Every structure is written in structure tokens, then in C-alpha cells.
Amino acid sequence: MRITMFRKLMAGEFGQVRAEMIAHDHVLSSLGGRTADEALEAGLGAKEVWIAVCDAFEIPENRR
């Protein structure tokens, strides 16, 4: 998955403004105590980060 797809999925799930806020501010323990943006900058795959966000926010399987 590309980062652009990650951003599109985030915006589709949370709305553009909230998606940006979550990616920038919400620390996820499953990403080593990093935010989604920090994890992506550190080189983690966009799909791995998306799954971590989905798990943290209990997004149903059919929307992952």
C-alpha cells in the first residue's frame, strides 16, 4: 500500500481534518509508541500503519 492510499483511507474513515489530527497526534502502542506519521517517517509500511489504526479505533474488517 502506498502512503497516498493510506491517507485516502484515513480521510474516508475519519474525515480529512480528523484523519490528519489522528495521524499527527494519536500515539499507538502497536507502532512502538509512535504516531502514524512518525511510523511512516520511520519507514514502517503504510499497510502496517493502517492496520494499527484500524485495530486502535476498532474499524470493522469490511472497511479495512
Side-chain angles (χ1 to χ4, degrees):
M1 172 187 295
R2 295 185 184 272
I3 292 174
T4 54
M5 178 56 77
F6 169 78
R7 300 282 182 209
K8 183 177 180 179
L9 289 169
M10 288 286 289
E13 187 63 40
F14 300 107
Q16 187 66 38
V17 173
R18 185 166 183 234
E20 290 174 13
M21 184 185 69
I22 289 169
H24 182 74
D25 296 330
H26 191 84
V27 175
L28 299 163
S29 60
S30 61
L31 297 176
R34 293 180 276 204
T35 66
D37 285 345
E38 291 170 339
L40 291 169
E41 288 174 20
L44 271 70
K47 184 171 185 171
E48 180 181 353
V49 175
W50 172 243
I51 295 299
V53 170
C54 288
D55 289 345
F57 287 89
E58 298 179 353
I59 305 224
E61 284 292 325
N62 65 335
R63 294 199 317 254
R64 291 183 179 209

